[in-house]
Every structure is written in C-alpha cells, then in structure tokens.
Amino acid sequence: MTYVFKNFVAFLKLIRWTNLLFIILIQFALYYVLVDRVYKMAGIEVALGYYYLSLLALTTVMIAAAGYIINDYMDVETDKVNKPAKMILSNQLSMKAGMRAYRILNIVAVITGFYLSWKVGSWRLGMLFPMIMILLWLYSVKYKNSVLWGNVAIAVMSAFVVLFVWLFEFFMLRQNPEVFVPVSSYLKMITGYFLFYAFFAFLLTMLREIIKDAEDVQGDSVSGFNTLAVKLGIQMSRKIAAVICVITLLAVGAVVYMFFTGLMNVAAYYFIIAVAVPLIYILTRILKAQEQTDFHLLSNFIKIIMLAGLIGLQPIVMSLT
C-alpha cells in the first residue's frame, strides 16, 4: 500500500496537479461569470451546462497532463542538470510507466473530446484536441529546442484553455434557437471578454516561458537546446521579456480605459491595482534580473498575476449587473 501511495503522489507531481486544478478553476470561473451570470440577465439558462463543462475541463486537463509527461520524458537529461532533485521520471517513476500513462490520457481525451463535439453539433471541434496533442508532442521533441517557437506553442495552448469554454458553449447554443435569440444581444460582449482573457493568457504565458528559459539556461545549454536564452543570451531574453510585459500592460490599460468609459469603475480600479501595478513591478525586476533565483521569483509572480486576472472576473460582473 505504501508503494502504491508513493507512486500515486509521484504521478500527481509528474502531471503538475496544481496547474491542472488551475485550468479547471479558469474554465469554471469563466463559464460561471461570463456565461451563466450574463445569461441570467436575459432570463435564460446556459446551453452547455455544468455536466458537459465538467467533461470539457476533464478532457482539457488530460491533454495538459499528457503534455507534462511527454515534456518530462524528453527532458530527462536536461533535468539532471537543471533540477536533479525534482525529477520524477527515472527517479520515482519508470520511463515505461510514464509513457503508458501518456498514451492512456491521450486516448481517453480524444474519445471524450469527440463525444463533446458530437453533442454540440460540430464534430470538427473534436479535431482541435488531437491537434493540440500533436502540438504538445512537437513542442517536446522539436519546438522547445528552437528560438521562440516553443514559447509561442505553449502560449497558444494557454489561450485555447480559455477559448474552449466559449467555443463549446456557442456551438451548443446554436442548436437552441429559442435560447439563441434572447441572448444574441450579449454575444458580442461575451466574445470580447473571452478574447481579452485568451490574449491575456497568451501574453502572460509567453512572458513566463521566456523567463523560465532564462532560469534554465545552464541545463539547456549543456543539453544543446536552442532556446532564446541559449541562442541570444540572458540580456536579450530580458529585453524581449520586457517588451512582452509592456505589451501586456498596454492591453490591460486599453481594457481599463474601456471600463472607465463604460462606467465600470470597480472593474477598472481592480485591474489597475491587482494587475497593472504588479506588472509594472515585474517589468522593473525583469530589467535587473541576473541570477537563476531572480528568474524563478519572476516566474512565480506571473502565476500570481494570472490568478489576479481570473479573480478580476468578479468585479467585471459586479459592474455589469
């Protein structure tokens, strides 16, 4: 029993269970605040519902978990340099067990993904899931070793975590004309918020991935990885990270301006205090970062800003009601 428990704990660490919980939190929070509560203003019920949303979240986290496994599988030699004490595969779980779990998670995710797509009336949506699986595999075996392409791939997938929620709700909604008509006046607004959060997720993930590359530059260099930090150096990585941080600040500033013009002052002040100010702090720290510990601290700060942005859904809906 002790052996089984240790393996289970090791598996949870391997699939980054805290990150998977955050994905579930993101999808449910977006659905509850931007879909369910806005629909209630029109006096109607959501189309997808929480049962199918749960299945969508499960499918998403299975794909993400499989991505973490294949990433660690391909990174075994690099991790022996970057983080030998934190390695799961080859230390706590066998490589064979890791690949078996990888295949099972992907197979189940494809099945549930196509089932969901069939339920919402568009089997083509189901193609997104194997496409993302392939992209995660390509990231682990190829893109991660190239300048910026790996960072872009991960950032795109983070944006899809947000977009999946509205895509499946919208296609399910199309099958219910009696519901579609009453909520049609809100569709543009809902789509706008989802696009903002997807863009926000893309930029912050891109920023964090570049910072993580700078943090892992020593091990990546030894392993022959052609990441941005290895190819162009820490100084150039800092400059590019700073540019992305400024772009994120400008995007947040544009949204804050729209909040003020729309008399959504609570949401505007929240995003200034909880998102814009911490981003300015991160920008100043990026320009000074030198050591591995500096970049590790920045990576954790970005996670906090991601959470702050998610919490910002509440003041947004407060301003709408």
Side-chain angles (χ1 to χ4, degrees):
M1 183 63 72
T2 303
Y3 173 78
V4 173
F5 179 73
K6 285 183 178 179
N7 281 352
F8 179 68
V9 172
F11 179 72
L12 289 179
K13 291 179 181 177
L14 176 65
I15 62 173
R16 321 294 203 274
W17 68 273
T18 52
N19 291 358
L20 300 185
L21 283 179
F22 191 58
I23 289 174
I24 295 171
L25 176 63
I26 287 171
Q27 292 190 326
F28 271 83
L30 287 166
Y31 195 75
Y32 175 69
V33 176
L34 292 183
V35 180
D36 195 344
R37 294 181 69 174
V38 172
Y39 277 26
K40 281 182 169 59
M41 296 179 195
I44 61 173
E45 295 295 323
V46 290
L48 188 65
Y50 286 95
Y51 171 76
Y52 291 114
L53 176 64
S54 299
L55 200 55
L56 175 62
L58 178 63
T59 304
T60 307
V61 297
M62 284 192 293
I63 294 172
Y68 287 130
I69 293 172
I70 193 64
N71 183 62
D72 280 12
Y73 184 87
M74 296 296 177
D75 270 2
V76 167
E77 295 304 317
T78 309
D79 290 343
K80 287 178 181 177
V81 178
N82 284 332
K83 45 185 179 183
K86 296 182 179 180
M87 289 180 63
I88 304 298
L89 285 181
S90 80
N91 277 2
Q92 301 178 48
L93 291 174
S94 70
M95 304 281 280
K96 185 177 180 180
M99 287 306 294
R100 188 185 302 118
Y102 169 76
R103 294 187 188 98
I104 291 171
L105 286 168
N106 276 336
I107 290 169
V108 176
V110 167
I111 293 170
T112 56
F114 272 103
Y115 171 73
L116 272 169
S117 302
W118 171 68
K119 289 299 294 185
V120 302
S122 176
W123 65 269
R124 292 180 181 84
L125 274 181
M127 294 302 297
L128 288 172
F129 298 109
M131 285 172 58
I132 289 177
M133 291 171 192
I134 293 170
L135 186 58
L136 282 169
W137 181 80
L138 287 172
Y139 164 78
S140 298
V141 302
K142 182 179 179 180
Y143 293 150
K144 186 167 59 174
N145 304 335
S146 59
V147 178
L148 281 180
W149 281 109
N151 309 118
V152 171
I154 293 297
V156 167
M157 286 178 280
S158 295
F160 266 108
V161 167
V162 174
L163 293 176
F164 272 154
V165 177
W166 184 230
L167 276 173
F168 279 84
E169 169 64 23
F170 182 78
F171 274 87
M172 182 70 92
L173 186 65
R174 289 201 315 173
Q175 297 187 95
N176 297 278
E178 69 280 2
V179 176
F180 191 91
V181 174
V183 82
S184 58
S185 60
Y186 293 94
L187 294 182
K188 184 178 179 180
M189 178 188 69
I190 296 173
T191 302
Y193 281 122
F194 269 99
L195 288 175
F196 164 70
Y197 269 95
F199 188 53
F200 185 69
F202 174 87
L203 289 173
L204 285 183
T205 303
M206 188 75 177
L207 177 60
R208 186 166 180 265
E209 287 297 310
I210 290 174
I211 287 171
K212 282 171 61 183
D213 282 349
E215 180 186 353
D216 295 339
V217 65
Q218 183 180 355
D220 290 344
S221 179
V222 170
S223 300
F225 287 177
N226 197 30
T227 63
L228 180 68
V230 172
K231 182 73 174 179
L232 301 180
I234 294 294
Q235 185 175 358
M236 183 57 70
S237 293
R238 286 206 315 264
K239 289 179 180 179
I240 293 175
V243 169
I244 294 173
C245 193
V246 169
I247 293 172
T248 309
L249 268 168
L250 291 174
V252 172
V255 170
V256 167
Y257 174 77
M258 286 189 290
F259 285 155
F260 276 127
T261 56
L263 301 179
M264 299 171 64
N265 293 350
V266 174
Y269 286 123
Y270 173 86
F271 273 84
I272 290 172
I273 296 168
V275 179
V277 171
L279 276 172
I280 293 171
Y281 172 73
I282 283 179
L283 179 60
T284 61
R285 292 297 297 261
I286 287 172
L287 298 174
K288 298 176 182 178
Q290 293 287 345
E291 304 296 329
Q292 186 180 40
T293 52
D294 297 331
F295 292 109
H296 182 72
L297 184 64
L298 282 169
S299 179
N300 288 334
F301 268 124
I302 293 170
K303 282 185 178 180
I304 294 171
I305 292 180
M306 288 178 175
L307 180 61
L310 185 63
I311 296 172
L313 286 167
Q314 184 58 35
I316 286 175
V317 80
M318 285 172 59
S319 300
L320 291 173
T321 54

